[in-house]
Amino acid sequence: MKKISIIIPCYNVERYIDQCVLSLVNQTIGVDSLEIIAVNDASTDCTLDHLLALEQAHPQSIMVINCEQNGKQGRARNIGLGYATADFVSFVDADDWLELSAYEKMYKKAKKYNCDAVAAGYKTETSRTSSPMGPNGKSDQYYIIETDTERGGFVGVDFGVGFAGNLYRKSMLTDNQIYFPEGYYYEDDYWYVLSMHYIKSAYIIGEDFYHYYEHPDSTIHKRNSLHQLDRAYVEKLKLEELVKRGIFERFPTLYEHEFIRRHYMDMLYVLFTQFDQCDCDYARALHDETYHIFPGYRNNPFIMRILNGKGGAYMKEVYEALDQEFTDEQISRLKQMCLTDSGDWMQIRI
């Protein structure tokens, strides 16, 4: 019986996939303990050839699933989860890699503390050379979540690099129907937020294990690309799901603010910084839709802090504008503030 199923969505990653998979087959937990499920998402380069060669080298531990049509990462991960047989699953991006002791250490914590999830730290890499890893100065943290107060605190912790490289109990995911939205980019935030509401016990190891590769061609950094607009649509999907599951009514102020910040403020930041020309009509649509959903936003305690200047001049101006007519002139002024007020950029998590 395999201990961990590792799911890797693969699309045109011929340059990276060997390093990623080799960091898995050489794990100290032993390759025989791992079920590596690589989902080729209709790649147009030689990714599939690389995967088949890796599968041939490790037929008992690597499974290649080939998709004829591209469904983006969410669909690929859902497909992989359907094939997973181990009690624990992990999701790894094909251009990233892990320290060789990562899964042995995480699995031991999962078993010792009977955890639904285990996470560790990460480092951002700008080349294919590994940065020094190990203890990151943070203490190990163990969480048991039984009340809404404890849940409210837990959903705010930094749980690894989002979800990549973490361990999750498979039954926790499937029993609660925690799946990725399909056909959209930025599906990971939707999945991550849902998962944080069903984890009953978790452990965070105070070491860095995951090498997160950041490069100019990555999805998040491509300029003038319409896929950036998927962020706003996924936020609406997430809000609808939180309402449907009764999570929103338990944490209304938290997720009202989260939606306004991500669907409105963060998306303005994207329009201002990731596009050469800001689409004012689209900015207006975001503004109007957000205010229509939450017209009483000024009473939200999180937003009241920003309106009182706790987040800086730019953020205050953005929130002040939400219940006003959003003119081209106002949008232009906000863009200039965004591009010049570098201190406020640090307040915006996208």
Side-chain angles (χ1 to χ4, degrees):
M1 180 68 178
K2 300 292 187 179
K3 295 178 180 178
I4 305 169
S5 297
I6 304 172
I7 299 164
I8 315 172
C10 304
Y11 178 70
N12 289 355
V13 289
E14 61 180 4
R15 292 178 293 173
Y16 313 124
I17 190 60
D18 287 22
Q19 183 178 5
C20 174
V21 173
L22 289 176
S23 78
L24 302 179
V25 300
N26 291 317
Q27 288 285 310
T28 57
I29 197 173
V31 68
D32 292 341
S33 297
L34 302 178
E35 178 181 59
I36 301 168
I37 304 170
V39 182
N40 179 50
D41 197 18
S43 296
T44 58
D45 64 0
C46 294
T47 294
L48 181 58
D49 294 335
H50 284 252
L51 292 175
L52 292 175
L54 291 164
E55 182 184 44
Q56 187 174 17
H58 303 278
Q60 301 304 314
S61 296
I62 298 179
M63 176 193 308
V64 176
I65 301 167
N66 187 42
C67 300
E68 296 294 336
Q69 293 184 329
N70 180 269
K72 298 187 174 63
Q73 289 185 325
R75 180 170 177 266
R77 293 192 186 105
N78 289 340
I79 289 172
L81 186 60
Y83 281 89
T85 63
D87 288 339
F88 289 90
V89 298
S90 183
F91 301 96
V92 174
D93 287 343
D95 53 357
D96 300 335
W97 64 99
L98 284 87
E99 288 292 283
L100 299 185
S101 62
Y103 284 119
E104 180 180 13
K105 291 180 177 179
M106 287 194 287
Y107 186 77
K108 284 182 178 178
K109 296 298 184 184
K111 297 300 287 185
K112 179 178 180 179
Y113 293 95
N114 193 29
C115 292
D116 288 331
V118 180
Y122 70 97
K123 284 187 178 178
T124 299
E125 307 285 12
T126 56
S127 74
R128 302 306 294 177
T129 302
S130 298
S131 298
M133 304 290 261
N136 54 25
K138 299 178 181 179
S139 300
D140 285 14
Q141 301 171 65
Y142 176 49
Y143 295 89
I144 297 177
I145 305 100
E146 296 177 332
T147 67
D148 277 357
T149 299
E150 292 168 343
R151 180 71 60 192
F154 178 65
V155 298
V157 305
D158 290 328
F159 202 61
V161 63
F163 72 96
N166 297 344
L167 278 192
Y168 293 95
R169 190 181 301 278
K170 183 192 173 186
S171 60
M172 185 268 294
L173 301 178
T174 55
D175 289 352
N176 294 294
Q177 297 185 327
I178 303 173
Y179 299 107
F180 293 87
E182 299 186 4
Y184 304 97
Y185 293 100
Y186 306 103
E187 75 298 328
D188 49 344
D189 182 64
Y190 171 104
W191 189 96
Y192 174 78
V193 168
L194 284 189
S195 71
M196 293 292 278
H197 280 278
Y198 292 95
I199 295 169
K200 295 180 180 179
S201 59
Y203 199 98
I204 302 177
I205 301 174
E207 294 186 56
D208 294 330
F209 292 154
Y210 195 87
H211 297 269
Y212 172 68
Y213 183 49
E214 189 174 88
H215 53 101
D217 295 331
S218 65
T219 299
I220 195 172
H221 288 109
K222 285 186 178 179
R223 291 188 59 79
N224 300 310
S225 179
L226 292 180
H227 74 248
Q228 298 277 6
L229 307 184
D230 281 359
R231 300 169 188 260
Y233 187 74
V234 170
E235 286 306 312
K236 288 191 291 184
L237 290 179
K238 182 172 71 176
L239 179 62
E240 290 170 2
E241 191 66 19
L242 290 171
V243 171
K244 176 183 175 182
R245 291 175 181 243
I247 296 171
F248 180 86
E249 66 180 339
R250 290 161 51 203
F251 306 94
T253 56
L254 170 63
Y255 286 115
E256 178 185 54
H257 176 232
E258 281 288 289
F259 180 81
I260 293 172
R261 181 176 64 80
R262 291 182 175 274
H263 184 263
Y264 170 57
M265 188 180 73
D266 286 3
M267 282 304 301
L268 287 182
Y269 177 85
V270 169
L271 292 175
F272 295 158
T273 62
Q274 298 298 314
F275 290 85
D276 294 336
Q277 296 293 326
C278 175
D279 185 338
C280 289
D281 288 339
Y282 185 75
R284 232 180 327 270
L286 289 171
H287 168 279
D288 294 349
E289 184 173 44
T290 304
Y291 181 66
H292 176 75
I293 295 173
F294 292 116
Y297 76 100
R298 285 178 177 268
N299 296 319
N300 187 295
F302 297 105
I303 295 175
M304 288 172 66
R305 288 173 53 83
I306 295 171
L307 294 174
N308 288 328
K310 300 297 184 181
Y314 168 70
M315 293 177 69
K316 182 176 187 295
E317 188 84 6
V318 169
Y319 281 87
E320 289 281 4
L322 187 53
D323 58 0
Q324 302 170 14
E325 182 182 359
F326 216 35
T327 64
D328 288 2
E329 292 76 14
Q330 191 171 32
I331 294 169
S332 179
R333 186 174 70 255
L334 287 175
K335 179 177 180 179
Q336 286 304 116
M337 289 185 68
C338 178
L339 296 178
T340 56
D341 193 346
S342 59
D344 274 328
W345 291 2
M346 302 303 295
Q347 303 286 343
I348 304 174
R349 295 176 294 139
I350 62 173

